[in-house]
Amino acid sequence: MPATRVPPPLWALIWVAAQAVLTRLAGGRRRFPGQTVVTATLAVTGVALAGAGARELRRHGTQLEPMDPSKTVTLVSSGIYRRTRNPIYLALALLLSANAARTGRRRALLAVAGFVACLTPQIHAEERALQATFGDTYRDYRAATRRWL
């Protein structure tokens, strides 16, 4: 059974739209010192993290599709997955953070929190499916590796 009816990338797009509304309500974009550097750093880090996560999953021949975690055939705990259990979701959160920095509006960061809150049921469903599939191996991995950072 699918973990969620809304794919995580779609959640991210929904929250980008929310950022646009929040920014407009605040009077539009605002500039701050170092804004370009902060925005670029967050965006590049997010893209690199997503790429590293996707490459590692492909390298191990397992799925990238999060909608039905019960189809996962391999527990990936190497590469970026040694540092975080959810590098692609973390990458999406970083990209939302980059967009918030681009707007220059602190209230746009509310969308990052909203995104994480919406993903929490997805993550819990994935963790239950991985526990059911991989048992003690997943329990040990979960104990040794943080969910986000």
Side-chain angles (χ1 to χ4, degrees):
M1 180 168 165
T4 183
R5 295 185 190 277
V6 180
L10 182 54
W11 274 126
L13 290 175
I14 289 167
W15 287 104
V16 164
Q19 285 179 320
V21 170
L22 290 167
T23 299
R24 183 173 295 259
L25 290 173
R29 290 179 59 190
R30 191 164 67 182
R31 303 286 304 158
F32 63 86
Q35 185 173 24
T36 302
V37 172
V38 170
T39 301
T41 300
L42 289 167
V44 168
T45 303
V47 169
L49 198 55
R55 276 190 306 277
E56 198 65 19
L57 291 175
R58 284 192 204 100
R59 189 170 79 82
H60 287 276
T62 196
Q63 70 165 3
L64 184 58
E65 170 57 51
M67 296 304 291
D68 191 354
S70 66
K71 293 181 180 178
T72 301
V73 296
T74 303
L75 178 62
V76 178
S77 59
S78 58
I80 191 63
Y81 288 90
R82 285 189 313 245
R83 303 277 185 239
T84 174
R85 297 193 316 257
N86 296 296
I88 296 171
Y89 298 161
L90 177 57
L92 291 172
L94 285 171
L95 291 170
L96 280 167
S97 299
N99 193 50
R102 184 190 64 79
T103 71
R105 295 293 182 173
R106 286 179 287 200
R107 67 176 53 190
L109 289 171
L110 293 171
V112 180
F115 172 72
V116 171
C118 288
L119 268 189
T120 299
Q122 170 74 24
I123 292 168
H124 288 167
E126 288 178 11
E127 289 175 343
R128 286 190 301 274
L130 293 169
Q131 181 67 48
T133 302
F134 300 108
D136 289 344
T137 303
Y138 180 70
R139 187 197 72 231
D140 294 344
Y141 170 64
R142 191 177 65 214
T145 309
R146 293 176 187 250
R147 181 180 283 161
W148 292 96
L149 283 176

